[in-house]
Amino acid sequence: MDAKLVNPFIDAFISVMPQIGFPIPKRTRAYIQNKTITNFGVSVMLGFTKQIHGNVVYNMNEDTAKFIASTMMMGMPVAEIDAMAQSAISEMSNMLAANTATNITALELEVDISTPSLTVGKGSQIKLSNGQFLTIEMDLGGHKVDIAIAVDKVA
Amino acid sequence: MEKVRVMIVDDSKISRTILANHLSKTNFEVVAMAADAAEALKLYQELNPEIVTMDMNLPDADGIECSKKIRGYDPDAKIVMISAMKDASLVAQGRAAGISAFLQKPVNTNDIIETLLLLSQQRVSKIAVLRESYAKAFERALQQGILNLIGMQSKITLEVYDKRYLSIDGIAVIIGLTGYPVGRAVLHMSSETMRNFAKIMLGTEDVDEDEIHEAVEEASNIVIGRGVSNINDVFKDKEMRITPPGTIFGTGIKISSPKLTTFKLTASTEVGDIIMNVGFAEGE
């Protein structure tokens, strides 16, 4: 995959998260994955079309998902990943992907995003590509969020 | 849902043909076409269509006169004016003559269908529009796809899905929909159905897990792609696209899509149920 396409995802995460009440995230690790990832507990997938094709998955464990939902709901305690929490996490993913799309447009590439699909199920496998892709691990106030970036420019 | 019977009144054969083409792939049935006001009234009395589309310029009267005549015969007649010109004075005169809606030529397919749907029912919800215009396109695609891929006839049911999430034990292929309306489609089935489906599709008993997943993924891509083509075929101005598939497998998985209006299409086949859930970010 094109390394240039990774930065729009990282930049979006770093710029959007503080705007919705989170500490400034740090990029902690980048690693190559092949075809599939394992769901840490809660993951959100969005698809890209037009000149960029592929999927991104925001992958986190349940604790992180609760932390994110709670922070987005102004500190309201979140005991389980219920409808409200799912809605908050989907909304965050939507904002991240939309901001990423804006960043990609700045590279003069046309892009469109689908709606988010949130999956709850620790240990389930998610195949998001037919080849290798890069996953960026972000630290969000001590919580870990993986961004699996399986997108490519359309030839 | 029964077909809604429509009469087209327009003096131009081209305009009549274009409109009839737009409507032929939908839930509307064009039962009559009239080229002038006299013919329009005669056909209305004979066939009693549920909705009339009315052009403004007719050789023997204008569209407003013609509408008055039809409403004189049937005070409940539902008429949509489709004219090259649309201004405040025309709309005011039209309203006085009992015309319900006004569209300007060339009409956008989406607008005409939504307008006709709105008129055809007392109170039609956005859900009905999504169901008739979009979910139905996937119903046809699912049936044709299953027949082509594994040679099986299937019985399909379509219903609004109002549960909060999909429960998956087996495999689910998620494909995003972009353009209008934006959304996503999920094709899912149990592990057993997935195995049998893949064996028939690949024509061999000797398949490994990867091949099974890939077969279902490819099948989903074909079926959902065809559904989107069916939609693009009707709504030429709203270019829908599909994102590459993301495939989830395991047990006890829940997939949710907050804020989407979703429909569940179940295809009952000899190898088990093949389920497609298609959701759109529109509706109530």
Side-chain angles (χ1 to χ4, degrees), chain A residues 35-36 39 43 45-51 53-55 81-84 86-87 90-91 112-130, chain B residues 164-165 173-179 182-184 186 210 213-214 217 239 241-260 279-281:
Chain A
K35 293 186 186 175
T36 359
N39 189 344
S43 65
M45 181 165 73
L46 293 107
F48 289 74
T49 56
K50 293 200 171 165
Q51 284 176 284
H53 252 223
N55 289 296
I81 309 299
D82 58 6
M84 188 97 105
Q86 291 179 13
S87 179
S90 296
E91 192 50 41
D112 216 345
I113 53 172
S114 75
T115 56
S117 295
L118 182 141
T119 304
V120 179
K122 189 180 173 185
S124 56
Q125 299 291 304
I126 305 175
K127 176 171 174 272
L128 62 160
S129 168
N130 284 320
Chain B
R164 211 157 49 68
Y165 53 80
V173 181
I174 303 178
I175 294 184
L177 308 172
T178 68
V182 62
R184 60 100 188 104
V186 182
D210 274 357
H213 296 155
E214 274 173 34
E217 188 177 289
E239 197 182 349
R241 290 168 192 253
I242 57 173
T243 70
T247 307
I248 297 174
F249 28 94
T251 52
I253 303 166
K254 292 173 181 172
I255 299 177
S256 69
S257 305
K259 291 191 193 163
L260 297 191
F280 309 103

Side-chain angles (χ1 to χ4, degrees), chain B residues 13-279:
Chain B
K13 192 176 173 214
I14 293 290
S15 288
R16 291 197 302 267
T17 309
I18 292 173
L19 195 52
N21 272 341
H22 281 332
L23 297 178
S24 66
K25 292 164 191 152
T26 67
N27 199 46
F28 298 96
E29 185 185 5
V30 178
V31 292
M33 295 205 259
D36 59 46
E39 194 182 9
L41 185 63
K42 181 171 154 277
L43 287 173
Y44 191 94
Q45 289 167 340
E46 269 172 34
L47 298 164
N48 200 27
E50 285 162 73
I51 298 180
V52 178
T53 75
M54 180 66 65
D55 182 26
M56 186 59 193
N57 298 312
L58 299 172
D60 54 346
D62 68 26
I64 289 173
E65 279 306 311
C66 180
S67 299
K68 278 184 189 159
K69 281 181 188 153
I70 291 175
R71 299 264 304 182
Y73 167 74
D74 174 5
D76 294 325
K78 289 171 181 154
I79 304 170
V80 182
M81 169 76 77
I82 302 177
S83 57
M85 232 191 63
K86 177 182 150 186
D87 57 33
S89 137
L90 177 74
V91 171
Q93 285 177 56
R95 288 251 182 255
I99 294 172
S100 310
F102 300 81
L103 293 170
Q104 192 164 14
K105 285 182 186 174
V107 278
N108 151 327
T109 315
N110 208 18
D111 288 348
I112 177 78
I113 288 171
E114 292 202 4
T115 304
L116 294 191
L117 267 172
L118 281 165
L119 278 180
S120 68
Q121 295 170 21
Q122 287 298 49
R123 197 177 146 271
V124 73
S125 66
K126 191 82 185 172
I127 291 174
V129 176
L130 288 175
R131 181 190 172 104
E132 295 308 316
S133 304
Y134 300 104
K136 283 271 174 81
F138 286 94
E139 185 180 3
R140 293 199 302 279
L142 185 61
Q143 194 152 39
Q144 288 166 2
I146 290 171
L147 182 62
N148 294 349
L149 291 163
I150 59 167
M152 279 182 193
Q153 298 287 351
S154 55
K155 193 174 163 290
I156 313 255
T157 56
L158 165 62
E159 59 193 315
V160 172
Y161 190 76
D162 50 17
K163 295 207 180 66
R164 211 157 49 68
Y165 53 80
L166 308 175
S167 292
I168 309 293
D169 281 302
I171 190 166
V173 181
I174 303 178
I175 294 184
L177 308 172
T178 68
Y180 179 87
V182 62
R184 60 100 188 104
V186 182
L187 197 129
H188 62 103
M189 58 186 92
S190 70
S191 301
E192 198 192 339
T193 302
M194 151 184 105
R195 278 200 183 83
N196 293 328
F197 180 91
K199 282 177 190 169
I200 298 171
M201 181 174 156
L202 300 172
T204 167
E205 282 289 314
D206 185 25
V207 285
D208 63 27
E209 283 295 299
D210 274 357
E211 288 168 334
I212 292 172
H213 296 155
E214 274 173 34
V216 175
E217 188 177 289
E218 184 55 17
S220 306
N221 209 12
I222 290 169
V223 167
I224 294 165
R226 184 180 287 206
V228 168
S229 301
N230 286 347
I231 291 170
N232 285 341
D233 213 19
V234 177
F235 300 107
K236 296 201 190 312
D237 52 331
K238 312 274 186 198
E239 197 182 349
M240 263 180 111
R241 290 168 192 253
I242 57 173
T243 70
T247 307
I248 297 174
F249 28 94
T251 52
I253 303 166
K254 292 173 181 172
I255 299 177
S256 69
S257 305
K259 291 191 193 163
L260 297 191
T261 301
T262 66
F263 299 89
K264 180 186 181 186
L265 299 108
T266 308
S268 306
T269 74
E270 285 166 46
V271 291
D273 284 355
I274 297 168
I275 301 160
M276 175 145 72
N277 187 288
V278 54

Side-chain angles (χ1 to χ4, degrees), chain B residues 6-18:
Chain B
V6 179
M7 174 167 85
I8 298 172
V9 183
D10 199 309
D11 64 335
S12 148
K13 192 176 173 214
I14 293 290
S15 288
R16 291 197 302 267
T17 309
I18 292 173

Side-chain angles (χ1 to χ4, degrees), chain A residues 129-147:
Chain A
S129 168
N130 284 320
Q132 292 189 327
F133 54 88
L134 198 63
T135 295
I136 307 289
E137 183 189 287
M138 303 294 296
D139 176 279
L140 186 67
H143 288 271
K144 189 175 89 163
V145 178
D146 265 17
I147 314 173

